[in-house]
Amino acid sequence: MNPARWLCAAGALLAAGHAAALEPDALFAKLTGSVWAVRTFDAQERPLRAGSAVVIAPGRLVTNCHVLAKASNFVVKRDNVTYGATLEYPDPGRDLCQIKVANFTAPPVAMAPAGGARVGQRVYAIGNPRGLENTLSEGLLSGLRGGDGEARLLQTTAAIAPGSSGGGLFDSDGRLLGITTFAARDGGNLNFAMPAEFLAELPARAQAQLAARAREPEGGARRSVGLSLAEPLRAGDALEYVRTDRLTGNRTPVIYRVDRINGDEVSFNAGSRIEKASGQVVSITSPIGGLFDSASPPGGWAPKDDIQPGMRWHLDYVTTTDDRLRHELNASVGAEHTATVDGVELTVMRISYDGWIYASAGTGAALTGTPFKVAVLYSPDLRRIVQFEATHRRAYASVTNEILELVRIQR
């Protein structure tokens, strides 16, 4: 049966009747065989990422597309059983990818009725956080985030962590409410899932995107920024960065997903970051991008309306994060050159910041500061930073050196 028709039929059947709420142990026993781990590998069979996937139809599972990013192949795994899998329907705009597995008999989950999510209801997340397979967490549905009457994100207090991406968020009857997608770092119990009602639309959306891509001139999407990266952001789009600790080599994906556009303001990750349409930063309440967010000046790292080579300015500000550090920096803009993002060549300018960080309570600062250097690559075409590198030398030879790079824009 076509997976979309199967999902619609299942949803209609379940809407007709309401099963009794399950105790957490009974719910876990019912669902654990329908949530699998995902492991991805590069062309040399080296491990890339770990995530989760939910069985939604016979031989079909759904995960987040960012789990599969850059993978040459991937498998689904549970306990000591592993199956090879292939991508069937990608919908990167909503970060949902349907995969198929041959000779796969794991039972599909039941779907919650469309539009049935209620703030305050008890919910359960099942996934594989940090590689710990078959993990259950409990919480509340704490918000419905979106616009124009459509709940684009389910906000929950049920705990998730890296590796939970692609797992299931279930109601107390064991029905799928959403696919767990990301957590706001340092944001307490701010965790988010894409609503399960999107799954019925996944095949049609994926086929439409593939058809549109096939109609593009050969190589056109790569030659012209206007056909791809520089299109205005829309709700559901996501900016995918990778943050690398230059001292340890650890790499962490950082996703800024657009959940709402209100006039000339763009809201990311349920309002934890808000920008003007021009790219200037309005507010940051959850610094998921490391120093890129936590040390950000007012307006962001490219705060001017029309940045030109040779420009200079001075900054003296106190960050809005809990540590309330004072930054005194001098900025200068270098000459234009090129950089490549997701295969597209962009014109960029290097903006260098050089100065000091001082301990501050907001009313003054310590007399002795610590050196702080930042280099960013700013794309006028995208009106945003495509690369950020910072070095902060603290006392006692402690050093932070990290780089954040834009790898793609999911649409």
Side-chain angles (χ1 to χ4, degrees), residues 35-39 49-53 63-64 66-67 124-138 156-169 179-193 252-253 255:
V35 181
W36 288 62
V38 178
R39 299 288 186 270
R49 294 184 180 178
S52 307
T63 187
N64 289 140
H66 75 256
V67 172
Y124 301 86
I126 300 179
N128 305 282
R130 303 190 185 279
L132 300 173
E133 294 186 15
N134 304 317
T135 295
L136 173 73
S137 62
E138 181 181 15
T156 177
T157 63
I160 63 175
S164 298
S165 294
L169 186 70
I179 301 297
T180 53
T181 301
F182 68 92
R185 182 176 297 178
D186 301 324
N189 290 329
L190 286 175
N191 307 305
F192 299 91
T252 306
I255 308 293

Side-chain angles (χ1 to χ4, degrees), residues 126 240 328 392:
I126 300 179
E240 181 178 345
E328 188 173 358
H392 182 202

Side-chain angles (χ1 to χ4, degrees), residues 366-379:
L367 295 177
T368 304
T370 51
F372 186 53
K373 293 182 181 293
V374 172
V376 303
L377 296 184
Y378 171 71
S379 166

Side-chain angles (χ1 to χ4, degrees), residues 161 267 326 352:
S267 171
R326 179 187 166 205
S352 299

Side-chain angles (χ1 to χ4, degrees), residues 37-352:
V38 178
R39 299 288 186 270
T40 69
F41 305 90
D42 65 13
Q44 287 73 45
E45 295 297 324
R46 293 174 298 198
L48 288 177
R49 294 184 180 178
S52 307
V54 180
V55 185
I56 61 161
R60 302 297 192 274
L61 302 90
V62 164
T63 187
N64 289 140
C65 294
H66 75 256
V67 172
L68 308 181
K70 310 293 185 184
S72 293
N73 60 82
F74 58 95
V75 300
V76 296
K77 176 182 178 295
R78 182 171 180 269
D79 298 328
N80 61 347
V81 178
T82 301
Y83 290 89
T86 57
L87 178 62
E88 186 173 32
Y89 295 127
D91 184 0
R94 288 175 171 173
D95 201 8
L96 294 173
C97 278
Q98 182 170 305
I99 60 180
K100 60 181 180 180
V101 180
N103 304 314
F104 189 70
T105 59
V109 299
M111 297 290 140
R118 308 180 316 278
V119 173
Q121 74 180 101
R122 182 69 55 184
V123 293
Y124 301 86
I126 300 179
N128 305 282
R130 303 190 185 279
L132 300 173
E133 294 186 15
N134 304 317
T135 295
L136 173 73
S137 62
E138 181 181 15
L140 298 177
L141 188 66
S142 52
L144 301 174
R145 304 300 175 193
D148 302 324
E150 182 180 21
R152 295 188 178 278
L153 286 173
L154 307 180
Q155 179 182 322
T156 177
T157 63
I160 63 175
S164 298
S165 294
L169 186 70
F170 300 92
D171 65 15
S172 57
D173 299 325
R175 301 176 300 186
L176 185 69
L177 282 169
I179 301 297
T180 53
T181 301
F182 68 92
R185 182 176 297 178
D186 301 324
N189 290 329
L190 286 175
N191 307 305
F192 299 91
M194 301 302 289
E197 57 226 59
F198 283 174
L199 302 185
E201 303 172 13
L202 202 162
R205 282 175 56 89
Q207 290 168 349
Q209 291 177 51
L210 291 173
R213 187 174 301 175
R215 290 193 297 268
E216 293 176 352
E218 182 66 26
R222 294 302 184 195
R223 287 195 300 270
S224 172
V225 174
L227 290 176
S228 53
L229 296 183
E231 294 177 359
L233 292 173
R234 299 164 295 180
D237 290 351
L239 308 172
E240 181 178 345
Y241 287 82
V242 172
R243 179 185 172 201
T244 303
D245 185 325
R246 300 295 291 270
L247 302 179
T248 65
N250 290 336
R251 292 167 56 85
T252 306
V254 178
I255 308 293
Y256 299 98
R257 184 170 301 283
V258 179
D259 57 75
R260 185 182 182 89
I261 297 178
N262 185 17
D264 69 340
E265 291 190 349
V266 182
S267 171
F268 297 86
N269 299 355
S272 64
R273 181 184 182 93
I274 297 177
E275 296 180 357
K276 293 288 187 183
S278 62
Q280 295 180 8
V281 175
V282 176
S283 64
I284 299 173
T285 57
S286 180
I288 65 173
L291 288 170
F292 176 69
D293 288 336
S294 64
S296 176
W301 295 102
K304 307 293 184 179
D305 289 331
D306 186 17
I307 294 177
Q308 299 292 335
M311 291 179 67
R312 296 177 181 273
W313 61 89
H314 178 76
L315 292 169
D316 192 339
Y317 62 97
V318 176
T319 56
T320 57
T321 52
D322 292 340
D323 48 19
R324 302 283 292 166
L325 297 178
R326 179 187 166 205
H327 293 60
E328 188 173 358
L329 306 174
N330 292 312
S332 60
V333 183
E336 292 185 344
H337 60 286
T338 59
T340 301
V341 175
D342 196 20
V344 177
E345 190 173 88
L346 301 172
T347 298
V348 297
M349 288 177 280
R350 178 186 175 93
I351 308 174
S352 299

